Amino acid sequence: MLDSCKLKSACNLPFICNKKIINTAGTSNAEVPLADPGMYQLDITLRRGQSLAARDRGGTSDPYVKFKIGGKEVFRSKIIHKNLNPVWEEKACILVDHLREPLYIKVFDYDFGLQDDFMGSAFLDLTQLELNRPTDVTLTLKDPHYPDHDLGIILLSVILTPKEGESRDVTMLMRKSWKRSSKFQTQSLRLSDLHRKSHLWRGIVSITLIEGRDLKAMDSNGLSDPYVKFRLGHQKYKSKIMPKTLNPQWREQFDFHLYEERGGVIDITAWDKDAGKRDDFIGRCQVDLSALSREQTHKLELQLEEGEGHLVLLVTLTASATVSISDLSVNSLEDQKEREEILKRYSPLRIFHNLKDVGFLQVKVIRAEGLMAADVTGKSDPFCVVELNNDRLLTHTVYKNLNPEWNKVFTFNIKDIHSVLEVTVYDEDRDRSADFLGKVAIPLLSIQNGEQKAYVLKNKQLTGPTKGVIYLEIDVIFNAVKASLRTLIPKEQKYIEEENRLSKQLLLRNFIRMKRCVMVLVNAAYYVNSCFDWDSPPRSLAAFVVVEDMLEDEEEEDDKDDKDSEKKGFINKIYAIQEVCVSVQNILDEVASFGERIKNTFNWTVPFLSWLAIVALCVFTAILYCIPLRYIVLVWGINKFTKKLRSPYAIDNNELLDFLSRVPSDVQVLQFCLESCLTCLHFEICDVNIS
C-alpha cells in the first residue's frame, strides 16, 4: 500500500497527510524544469471510502468523488446514498500532460436542491508512481480549514503508463513565467498532434433509447415514473420522464463522442422520479463499446442489475466527423484545393449524399483584449471553449495575460444550420473549477464569411456585456436543401445543459411574456365577438358562413387524469412546491416561446426560415391544385399508419413543431441581436421591441 503521507505535492497548495501539512508553496511549477514532456495514461479504479464524515441530520452522508488535474474536473463518481463506507468500484481513464500536476481528490455530500457539503480532499503525487505497475493507494481526507478533523480515507488502485509511439512537441507550452517580464510571458506556439488527440474525438456513438420492459415498481400505486441516465466519461445524457408506467416508450436519439480507440464503457442507470424527495434507483447496466463492430447498428436488450426489467437500445459506432484544431498557418479554406473539395461536398448536386452532413464551419479564434482580472495578481490565465451543439473544443491556456493571443483554427461539421456557435472564455485555476470570464453566442445564419470581428463578451445569461472583447473570423459553407430538410426533423438536444432552477426574475419575465401572448388571444376574441355584434355586416356575414361550415365536423373530447395524493413531511412539501414552481416557470417559457416563434416567423426575424415557409406553402398549394385533397389525405393516413410497420424504432416527430423550434423566441432575438450589434467598431446597444 502506498500511504498518502509518503506523497509530496508538486503544486502550490498544501499537501495534507495524517499528521501534518507540508507546505510546498515555495516551489512553483514555473520554477521547476519540465522533466517529462511525454503524455501518460492514468487508469484509476475508485474502490471505496471508509469512515467518511457524516453531513446529514440522520448521521449519514450521500458521498460522491471528484477527480481534478490542473484545476479541471476529469471525473465524477456516482452518488452512494446514506452510506459512510461507500463502495464505488468505478474506473476512469485520464490522459495526463505531465506528471508535475498532482491528482486532486475531493469528496462531497450530495444535497438535493441545496449546495453540496464538502467532506474532505487529498492529493496524489503522480511523480511517486512507478510506470506500468498497478499500485493500491490509501488517501487520508482532510479539510484545509480544520486539519485536525478525521474525515476518513479513500482507497484507489492506479496504474500509470506512457503513451508509446506518441511524443509531444517541445513547443507545447514554453513556460518562462519565472522571468518577471512581459516579454517572457507564458506562450504556446502551437498545439502538438498528441495534444489535439486529447481534445478531439475519434468516433461517434449514436444511441437510440427505445423502451423499457417490466421495470421495477417503485411507487405505492404499483407503477413508476422512469427515466434513464447515460454516462460515457465526462459526457452525460438524461432521458425524459415517462409517468406512471413499467413499460415506457422513450424513442429518444442522441450522440456521444469517442475519445479512445478502444471505445470505452457506457454506464446506464434507470431511476424513478419522485416529487419532493430523492429519486428511487431502479437498476443499472453497461455497454462495452469495444465489443461492438463499427459502421453497424446493434440492437441491445440489456438486463438491469440490482433491479428488475430490461432496456432496449440501438447503438451505432461511426467514424469521426471532420473536426480539427490547427494554427492560423494551417487553414483549410485558404488552401485552394481543399476549399474546392469542401465547396464540391456541399454543392446542390450532392443533395442526397449523407443528409446529416449539412455544412462546414471554420472558426478562427485570434485574440482577446481587456479581459477581466480573475487572479489576485491582477492577471488571468485565459483559455477558450468553442461549442457547436454537443461538439466542444478547447484552446491552450495563455498564462498571466489579459490580452491573450491564441491564433487557432477550429473546424466542425454542421448538422443543423440553425445551431448557435458559442465561444466562452475561462480563467484556468489550479485548485478549483475554471472561472467564467465571458461568452458570445452567434447563430450560424447570421455569420458573414471571412470578416474578422470583435465580439463583446457577455455574461452567462447573455443579457448584458461584461469586460473584454474577443476577435473571431468565421466561415460557413452549407447545402441549403439539406439544411431545409434538416429543419423538419427533431432538434439535437444538448446533453451538458444544466437543469433550470427557480428564479423569481425569470418566473416574472416568463409570466409577462405569457401575458402578452394571452392578450393577443384576448384581442382575437374581441374581434370574433365584434363579428357577432354585427359591427361590420360584411365581416360578420363572412364569419357566419365560415363558422357554420366548421361546426359540421367539430368534435370535442374531454380527458381528465386522476392523480394520487400522498402525505409528505414539511421538508418534502417545500421541495414539492419548489418543483411545481420550476415546472410552472418552464411551462410559461414554453408557451410564451411558442407564441413568439409564430410571430417571429411572420416578422422575418430569420429570413431563411420565412423563405422556407413560403416555399413550402407554394409547393403545398401547387400539390392541392394538381391532386384532389382526398388523395392527399389518403396518402398521409397510409404513411402514418404504416410508419411503425416500415420502421419499428422510428422516432415520432411533428414537422411543424420541429420547424418552429428553429425560430428564435423574443429572448433569443434579444441575445443574438445584441451579439450582432456589438461587433467591429460599433458598440451600441440594439433597440429591440419585444411586444
Side-chain angles (χ1 to χ4, degrees):
M1 301 287 284
L2 181 63
D3 193 81
S4 62
C5 288
K6 299 179 181 179
L7 303 176
K8 296 182 179 179
S9 175
C11 72
N12 297 344
L13 299 172
F15 176 74
I16 302 172
C17 66
N18 286 335
K19 300 180 180 180
K20 60 182 180 179
I21 300 178
I22 304 173
N23 194 340
T24 61
T27 304
S28 68
N29 284 342
E31 295 169 348
V32 178
L34 287 173
D36 246 333
M39 174 70 75
Y40 295 88
Q41 178 174 311
L42 181 64
D43 292 294
I44 307 174
T45 302
L46 174 61
R47 296 295 184 189
R48 62 187 186 275
Q50 291 182 0
S51 305
L52 300 185
R55 297 301 191 207
D56 296 337
R57 291 184 178 179
T60 62
S61 293
D62 306 309
Y64 67 92
V65 181
K66 290 182 181 180
F67 292 165
K68 288 187 175 184
I69 291 183
K72 293 184 175 64
E73 182 178 322
V74 294
F75 172 79
R76 179 180 296 197
S77 75
K78 63 188 178 184
I79 301 169
I80 305 295
H81 294 286
K82 301 185 183 306
N83 200 327
L84 299 182
N85 297 284
V87 177
W88 284 285
E89 292 296 336
E90 293 189 55
K91 296 182 179 181
C93 179
I94 304 169
L95 289 178
V96 181
D97 291 347
H98 49 75
L99 303 182
R100 255 187 1 192
E101 297 283 359
L103 179 68
Y104 190 23
I105 297 96
K106 300 179 74 174
V107 184
F108 291 90
D109 167 54
Y110 173 76
D111 284 329
F112 177 77
L114 302 173
Q115 183 175 0
D116 296 345
D117 298 321
F118 178 69
M119 296 179 63
S121 63
F123 291 100
L124 175 61
D125 187 357
L126 303 182
T127 62
Q128 300 297 315
L129 299 177
E130 294 186 33
L131 296 180
N132 301 312
R133 180 179 178 181
T135 306
D136 293 328
V137 181
T138 301
L139 296 175
T140 301
L141 297 174
K142 290 293 181 180
D143 188 339
H145 300 290
Y146 306 97
D148 296 332
H149 289 190
D150 183 11
L151 302 180
I153 60 175
I154 292 291
L155 303 178
L156 310 173
S157 293
V158 299
I159 179 172
L160 185 67
T161 56
K163 299 292 286 184
E164 296 180 0
E166 296 177 342
S167 62
R168 181 185 295 272
D169 269 359
V170 294
T171 56
M172 172 56 195
L173 278 177
M174 304 291 290
R175 294 181 179 267
K176 298 181 180 179
S177 59
W178 64 91
K179 298 188 177 182
R180 307 294 183 180
S181 170
S182 59
K183 179 180 179 181
F184 297 100
Q185 287 286 335
T186 301
Q187 297 292 337
S188 175
L189 302 183
R190 70 182 182 88
L191 288 177
S192 66
D193 291 338
L194 183 57
H195 191 208
R196 283 205 293 266
K197 288 179 182 178
S198 66
H199 292 299
L200 301 183
W201 46 96
R202 305 182 180 187
I204 296 175
V205 53
S206 179
I207 302 172
T208 303
L209 174 60
I210 303 298
E211 62 185 1
R213 298 174 183 170
D214 303 322
L215 300 184
K216 187 176 181 180
M218 306 302 295
D219 297 337
S220 58
N221 57 8
L223 299 173
S224 293
D225 305 310
Y227 66 91
V228 181
K229 291 182 179 180
F230 296 81
R231 185 176 66 186
L232 177 61
H234 67 278
Q235 304 171 90
K236 298 178 182 179
Y237 180 83
K238 178 181 175 181
S239 76
K240 60 188 176 184
I241 300 169
M242 305 301 294
K244 294 182 175 25
T245 179
L246 299 180
N247 298 282
Q249 298 284 327
W250 282 287
R251 307 297 171 106
E252 295 184 45
Q253 192 276 332
F254 59 96
D255 295 335
F256 279 156
H257 296 141
L258 294 176
Y259 291 89
E260 292 294 324
E261 291 181 352
R262 56 190 177 187
V265 177
I266 301 177
D267 293 312
I268 306 171
T269 54
W271 300 83
D272 167 55
K273 180 66 177 179
D274 285 329
K277 56 182 179 180
R278 289 190 177 92
D279 298 343
D280 297 323
F281 177 75
I282 295 179
R284 72 170 65 251
C285 56
Q286 290 184 331
V287 176
D288 186 359
L289 298 179
S290 63
L292 303 180
S293 58
R294 304 256 173 166
E295 309 298 337
Q296 181 180 349
T297 299
H298 305 267
K299 180 184 176 183
L300 306 178
E301 296 186 13
L302 305 175
Q303 172 72 42
L304 290 177
E305 301 174 1
E306 306 175 30
E308 300 174 5
H310 296 77
L311 293 179
V312 181
L313 311 175
L314 297 181
V315 181
T316 307
L317 278 68
T318 59
S320 174
T322 306
V323 292
S324 67
I325 306 175
S326 62
D327 297 316
L328 287 179
S329 59
V330 184
N331 188 341
S332 299
L333 295 181
E334 289 183 0
D335 187 325
Q336 188 62 30
K337 185 177 180 180
E338 287 193 33
R339 185 181 182 89
E340 289 177 358
E341 290 180 357
I342 293 172
L343 290 173
K344 182 180 178 181
R345 192 196 317 167
Y346 301 108
S347 67
L349 300 177
R350 299 179 61 115
I351 296 175
F352 300 105
H353 182 267
N354 192 2
L355 291 176
K356 292 184 178 181
D357 186 11
V358 172
F360 173 85
L361 172 66
Q362 176 178 279
V363 184
K364 295 181 182 179
V365 181
I366 301 169
R367 68 184 187 277
E369 293 180 354
L371 296 181
M372 185 188 308
D375 299 336
V376 293
T377 59
K379 299 289 185 178
S380 292
D381 304 323
F383 67 94
C384 268
V385 177
V386 184
E387 296 179 86
L388 184 68
N389 292 331
N390 291 313
D391 296 344
R392 177 186 174 99
L393 298 176
L394 287 75
T395 69
H396 60 283
T397 303
V398 179
Y399 292 92
K400 296 182 176 15
N401 204 323
L402 299 181
N403 301 288
E405 291 188 12
W406 292 287
N407 292 323
K408 296 299 172 188
V409 180
F410 300 85
T411 63
F412 298 88
N413 269 72
I414 300 174
K415 303 175 186 176
D416 189 346
I417 195 59
H418 309 288
S419 302
V420 177
L421 174 69
E422 297 182 359
V423 181
T424 310
V425 183
Y426 292 96
D427 168 64
E428 180 182 314
D429 279 327
R430 191 177 306 279
D431 58 339
R432 51 196 174 96
S433 59
D435 294 326
F436 176 85
L437 296 181
K439 179 180 181 180
V440 295
I442 310 165
L444 297 186
L445 285 172
S446 68
I447 291 171
Q448 297 177 350
N449 287 349
E451 291 188 9
Q452 184 181 136
K453 294 187 177 182
Y455 293 86
V456 171
L457 295 173
K458 298 207 289 291
N459 56 27
K460 289 183 180 180
Q461 293 75 29
L462 298 172
T463 55
T466 185
K467 192 175 181 181
V469 295
I470 185 169
Y471 289 82
L472 306 173
E473 183 180 329
I474 312 173
D475 290 272
V476 176
I477 298 174
F478 68 97
N479 184 300
V481 178
K482 288 184 180 180
S484 301
L485 296 175
R486 177 71 185 180
T487 306
L488 303 179
I489 63 177
K491 189 176 181 181
E492 181 181 5
Q493 299 295 323
K494 293 190 70 171
Y495 50 71
I496 59 174
E497 204 165 24
E498 294 183 357
E499 295 184 357
N500 292 328
R501 296 185 178 182
L502 182 61
S503 168
K504 180 181 178 181
Q505 182 180 4
L506 186 60
L507 183 62
L508 180 60
R509 185 185 71 181
N510 291 343
F511 178 78
I512 294 174
R513 294 169 60 204
M514 180 66 183
K515 180 181 176 182
R516 289 174 182 151
C517 295
V518 171
M519 289 306 299
V520 172
L521 298 178
V522 171
N523 292 333
Y526 282 138
Y527 182 85
V528 172
N529 189 56
S530 68
C531 294
F532 291 106
D533 292 339
W534 291 84
D535 294 337
S536 174
R539 182 178 64 195
S540 299
L541 182 61
F544 178 75
V545 173
V546 172
V547 171
E548 184 181 17
D549 183 62
M550 291 175 61
L551 286 176
E552 292 180 359
D553 299 323
E554 184 177 350
E555 295 181 359
E556 295 183 358
E557 296 181 0
D558 294 328
D559 297 329
K560 296 183 179 179
D561 297 329
D562 297 327
K563 297 184 177 180
D564 299 330
S565 59
E566 300 177 358
K567 294 183 179 180
K568 301 181 177 68
F570 179 71
I571 298 298
N572 289 343
K573 287 184 178 180
I574 292 179
Y575 286 143
I577 292 173
Q578 182 180 358
E579 288 196 359
V580 169
C581 291
V582 171
S583 299
V584 171
Q585 174 180 288
N586 294 338
I587 291 172
L588 290 175
D589 177 61
E590 290 178 5
V591 176
S593 296
F594 182 79
E596 291 166 356
R597 288 186 170 113
I598 294 175
K599 180 197 70 174
N600 291 334
T601 302
F602 292 97
N603 284 351
W604 290 75
T605 302
V606 181
F608 181 90
L609 291 171
S610 298
W611 276 116
L612 180 60
I614 289 177
V615 171
L617 288 174
C618 292
V619 171
F620 185 67
T621 302
I623 293 175
L624 281 177
Y625 181 79
C626 300
I627 304 175
L629 179 61
R630 60 179 178 273
Y631 293 131
I632 297 176
V633 174
L634 179 63
V635 172
W636 176 83
I638 292 174
N639 176 65
K640 284 292 183 182
F641 280 105
T642 61
K643 189 174 182 179
K644 293 296 183 184
L645 297 176
R646 291 182 283 109
S647 181
Y649 303 115
I651 298 175
D652 295 329
N653 70 301
N654 184 298
E655 289 79 5
L656 181 59
L657 294 180
D658 292 333
F659 171 85
L660 287 175
S661 69
R662 268 60 173 208
V663 182
S665 64
D666 283 351
V667 173
Q668 294 170 324
V669 168
L670 179 61
Q671 295 170 349
F672 302 151
C673 189
L674 281 173
E675 196 64 67
S676 61
C677 290
L678 295 174
T679 56
C680 293
L681 301 177
H682 307 285
F683 298 110
E684 64 250 13
I685 299 298
C686 179
D687 182 17
V688 179
N689 180 21
I690 302 179
S691 59

